[in-house]
Each structure stands twice: as C-alpha cells, then as structure tokens.
Amino acid sequence: MRAYDLIAKKRDGGTMTRAELEFLIGGYVDGSIPDYQMAAWMMAVYLRGMTPQEVAELTDVMAHSGDMVDLSPIQGIKVDKHSTGGVGDKTTLVITPIVAACGVKIAKMSGRGLGHTGGTVDKMESVPGTRTALEQEEFFAQVNKIGISVIGQSGHLAVADKKMYALRDVTATVGCIPLIASSIMSKKLAAGSDAILLDVTTGNGAFMKTVPESIELAQMMVDIGTRNGRHVAALITDMDTPLGHNIGNSLEVAESMEILKGRGPADLKEVCLQLAANMLVLAGKGTLEECRAMAQAVIDDGTAFATCKAMFAAQGGDVRVLDDYSLFAQPEASYDLLAEQEGYIWSNDTEKIGNASVLLGAGRITKEDTLDMAAGITLHKKAGDYVKPGDVLCTFYGKAEKFAAAEAMYRSGLVFSTEKPEEKPLVYARVTTDGVEMLA
Ligand code: URA
C-alpha cells in the first residue's frame, strides 16, 4: 500500500477501507507518512467527504492510536459529556455532580481552555489544592467510592488526533465536519464511557456558527458513537450569548455552585437541567420528564452540591471556598465598564467577550502563560437588555494594567439598536439515533 494511492483515491471520491485507514493513520503516527501526504489526504477528505461507515472506522482507528481507557473496574454505567466549547460554559461543573448524585457513575476526562473558550480542568484548579492528574487506580477508586471524578485528559489518548489537529490548524482543514466529528469522538471513544452526551454549541461564540451545521455535526457524532457501540445523543445549545453571568475560572466555579445550591442564573440552570436529564436518559434512568425531575430533586435536597464537594475534597481541594467564595484568591483590581450610549444591546459578540477575558488573564495567550484564577468578567447587561449612558455593562477582574486592552476588545463586539432583538432559544434541537427533534 502507498499513501500516494490513498490520496489519489480520496481525491477522486473513493471510499477508504478499514485496512487503508489503519495504514494511513498508523503510518502518520509512526512517522513513516509525512505531514505533506497527510495534509493532502485531509484536504481530499475536506473536498470529497466521507461515508458514515468510513468516518466511523476512521474515528475508531484514531481512538486506537493511543491508550483505550478500560473503565470496567468501575461498577455500573458510566456516562460522559462533551461540549464543543463556549464562553461562560461551566455546565460540566454543574451537571456531573447532579448526574452522580442520581446514581450514575462519572469517570470523566476534561480539557483546558482553548482559544477564547474556557476549560473545566482550569476552572477546577481555581479551587486551591485541587489535583486534576490522578493515577488510574486512584481515579477508579474515587469513582467507585463517591460516584464521580473529573480529571485532566491523559496525553496518550487518541495520539493521532493530536498530530492531525495541529496539521489541520495550518492547512485550512479545521472546518470540515467529518474531521471535526472524528477528532472529538476519537477522544470520547478512547475515554471509555458507555454513554456520551454531546453539547454542540452554536452561534458567534462557538465552533459551529449556524444551527443547520451544528445539527449536521451532531448527527455525524451520534452515528459514529452508535456504530462503535456507545449510547450517544446531542443537544444543540445557544452560544450567541455567554451562559450565566460569570466568565473566568473561580468566577465560574462560584456561579456553578450557586446552581447546585438552587440559586443562580435562569439560563444556566435551564441548560444544565436539560443536559443532566439527557445524560440520565442515556444511562437508562427513565423518561426525559422523570430524569429532569430527578435532576431537580438532587439540587433541592442538597445531594448534588454535597457530591460536588465530596469530589473536590477527594481530589485535595479546599472545599471551604465552595461555601464562602471570598476565600478564593481575590483579584488585584476590578473595573466597571460603563455604557456610553442608550439603547438595546443588539449583539455582544461572544467570541470577543471570551477574548477579553483571556486578555484579563483568565485564559492563555501562549502555551506557557500561567492563569490568573481570579481574573474574568461579570456581565451585568446581556444582549437584549436596554441600557442608558453610565449603566454598568460588566465588571472586569484582574490586574489593572490589563483593563484597557480588554475594554477595547469587549467594546468592539457591542452593537446597540433602538429595536429589541428577538430572544434566542437556549436549546435548539435534540439529536438521537431516532433523528432530530427541533425544540425551538
Ligand atoms: N474540537 C476537537 O477536539 N476537534 C476538532 O476538530 C474541533 C473541536
């Protein structure tokens, strides 16, 4: 077999066999196939697409290019979730304790912030002392004992994806649905859970900017998972506006705890309840209505918050901060950003809000950057709100010398109007093996 022939086959619209995919991916990982041939093949995929069977096999081959986590030492059904990313998207911190409190095991690997979007592992590390790198034995033992552990993703998962993603990034092949779907799902298959709920975000702060392309990605990922023996469903959720009010690591932990305590912003609560209910359905706990009621019940009786505390405590975290947020590391300074004109906020570009928060120190500009765990933004006015000059739009937290650049970034995404914009749904659709159910 020669890589040249496989590139030509895909260029001409052919379908790869499993053996050909194994040759290509295996050769790329061991270095016998160079970057330029892999790049040419991925561009051919970009232009020609893949059949459902072909993309499912590609994903499985990519998953097997690194460690396949065997979660069988953990009793019961294990459910994972994945978000395609967002700003203020702290749902993992809320829904995993809810689901665990309902008796479903969570043995989850999460990521760090990427670009303008935040990551669960960074947020968890804002709770002083929290360890997010556990040996497998300790990880399994914790899940068996308290039902939940969330840790950082092992560097040996889906090794092919890491190399392919870096190459896609510089060869204009990132925005290709079969390559995105196989990239995400290879890591999810390797992480070992029986069921996976996908939160496919859509809008100006998300990877996918429109609902139809988000649905297409979701359908492909559900199909890949199902063909590889997992229970998978997806929700298409809005990311035209950040979720909740807080953006930044400790700020987002605090807001998540508010939801677990039965308080907090209504939009975040609603999305979390829908995601948690769908995870419980995938675990076979009942109908959607029953599962939503279960999720609400563990918030109301305090067991979801207690489960979250138990997880942080088991991982070395100082859980006093979860009760008293003033014990978090505090920002050096804060700054209120004031409205300069009157009108409705027509739009407030979510990617720019995310980038402003990165500029404040909540995310990394270079790989080596250390995070300011207290940095971030609290939104007081969101898209659709009416403001007058002098009203506080948001508050920045962090080092004072960073406020000017963040302000310029934030203001560049604001558009005002005399008209009130139409309210966006929080959840657009649910995608399962049965098809697409439009919810808005
Ligand atoms: N996230 C991933 O893990 N892979 C992609 O290709 C896009 C988003």
Side-chain angles (χ1 to χ4, degrees):
M1 221 181 277
R2 294 192 312 164
Y4 179 95
D5 300 317
L6 303 186
I7 296 166
K9 183 176 179 183
K10 187 40 86 184
R11 179 199 63 200
D12 297 339
T15 302
M16 300 286 124
T17 65
R18 181 168 186 109
E20 288 170 339
L21 291 167
E22 282 170 352
F23 173 82
L24 205 60
I25 302 301
Y28 186 53
V29 170
D30 72 23
S32 57
I33 293 178
D35 277 350
Y36 55 83
Q37 286 189 311
M38 194 61 187
W41 182 79
M42 292 198 294
M43 183 56 84
V45 169
Y46 189 104
L47 298 171
R48 290 295 196 164
M50 294 188 113
T51 68
Q53 172 76 14
E54 192 182 16
V55 76
E57 284 183 343
L58 169 66
T59 309
D60 189 42
V61 171
M62 287 168 67
H64 281 86
S65 66
D67 294 345
M68 292 293 288
V69 181
D70 174 10
L71 295 180
S72 60
I74 300 170
Q75 297 112 38
I77 293 186
K78 279 76 68 179
V79 185
D80 198 352
K81 63 95 49 176
H82 178 81
S83 164
T84 55
V87 176
D89 181 354
K90 68 271 297 172
T91 60
T92 294
L93 288 169
V94 181
I95 65 181
T96 54
I98 290 176
V99 170
C102 293
V104 175
K105 297 280 172 34
I106 300 285
K108 179 164 173 49
M109 294 186 187
S110 280
R112 295 195 179 272
L114 191 66
H116 67 282
T117 67
T120 302
V121 168
D122 291 333
K123 293 171 202 179
M124 287 179 71
E125 288 176 356
S126 73
V127 176
T130 302
R131 293 175 302 127
T132 57
L134 304 188
E135 290 300 330
Q136 206 167 70
E137 258 176 36
E138 186 182 359
F139 179 53
F140 288 176
Q142 181 178 319
V143 181
N144 271 328
K145 189 164 170 215
I146 62 173
I148 181 169
S149 180
V150 179
I151 60 172
Q153 190 177 297
S154 135
H156 302 291
L157 232 50
V159 173
D161 175 61
K162 212 165 288 151
K163 268 190 99 172
M164 289 165 75
Y165 193 89
L167 191 58
R168 284 166 58 209
D169 213 16
V170 291
T171 56
T173 49
V174 167
C176 165
I177 289 183
L179 294 178
I180 296 172
S182 54
S183 166
I184 293 173
M185 290 303 289
S186 63
K187 290 169 283 207
K188 293 286 115 184
L189 295 183
S193 284
D194 309 294
I196 304 150
L197 180 72
L198 301 162
D199 177 4
V200 180
T201 50
T202 193
N204 64 41
F207 222 84
M208 296 283 124
K209 306 292 180 204
T210 68
V211 173
E213 62 182 356
S214 303
I215 290 177
E216 191 185 340
L217 175 63
Q219 282 178 300
M220 192 175 281
M221 293 197 289
V222 168
D223 188 65
I224 289 170
T226 309
R227 285 171 190 267
N228 283 289
R230 312 296 169 95
H231 296 290
V232 190
L235 290 186
I236 312 297
T237 64
D238 184 65
M239 194 40 74
D240 250 346
T241 304
L243 259 185
H245 298 294
N246 282 0
I247 299 141
N249 295 294
S250 60
L251 287 166
E252 291 193 41
V253 172
E255 192 167 58
S256 305
M257 295 310 111
E258 286 297 288
I259 302 291
L260 291 175
K261 293 172 190 171
R263 306 188 291 248
D267 61 343
L268 177 62
K269 179 175 182 188
E270 177 58 27
V271 171
C272 286
L273 280 174
Q274 292 204 32
L275 290 168
N278 276 279
M279 284 177 82
L280 292 166
V281 169
L282 284 174
K285 296 294 271 188
T287 64
L288 205 47
E289 293 68 33
E290 289 163 348
C291 289
R292 186 178 167 119
M294 254 182 254
Q296 181 68 60
V298 294
I299 293 177
D300 294 344
D301 71 11
T303 52
F305 179 54
T307 303
C308 186
K309 263 178 137 174
M311 174 181 75
F312 274 103
Q315 293 178 213
D318 179 355
V319 293
R320 290 174 307 159
V321 302
L322 305 180
D323 286 314
D324 179 355
Y325 312 135
S326 71
L327 298 175
F328 273 117
Q330 294 299 302
E332 245 179 59
S334 66
Y335 171 65
D336 287 339
L337 200 79
L338 306 182
E340 292 171 339
Q341 65 188 100
E342 182 162 355
Y344 288 102
I345 300 178
W346 181 259
S347 67
N348 197 358
D349 190 289
T350 306
E351 188 167 337
K352 289 193 167 146
I353 298 175
N355 281 327
S357 136
V358 171
L359 287 172
L360 290 170
R364 297 175 189 81
I365 296 169
T366 70
K367 264 193 336 206
E368 289 71 33
D369 284 351
T370 34
L371 299 179
D372 176 351
M373 291 299 186
I377 304 173
T378 296
L379 306 174
H380 303 296
K381 302 286 182 192
K382 293 172 80 167
D385 287 339
Y386 193 79
V387 297
K388 294 204 174 84
D391 283 353
V392 181
L393 295 171
C394 65
T395 305
F396 287 169
Y397 301 97
K399 292 196 165 65
E401 72 260 25
K402 301 195 171 193
F403 292 157
E407 175 168 2
M409 174 65 72
Y410 193 97
R411 286 199 191 275
S412 71
L414 274 173
V415 179
F416 291 90
S417 169
T418 51
E419 271 176 64
K420 189 174 166 65
E422 215 177 286
E423 205 169 312
K424 295 260 168 56
L426 292 170
V427 182
Y428 290 91
R430 178 170 181 243
V431 179
T432 64
T433 47
D434 295 333
V436 180
E437 186 190 345
M438 294 306 296
L439 303 173

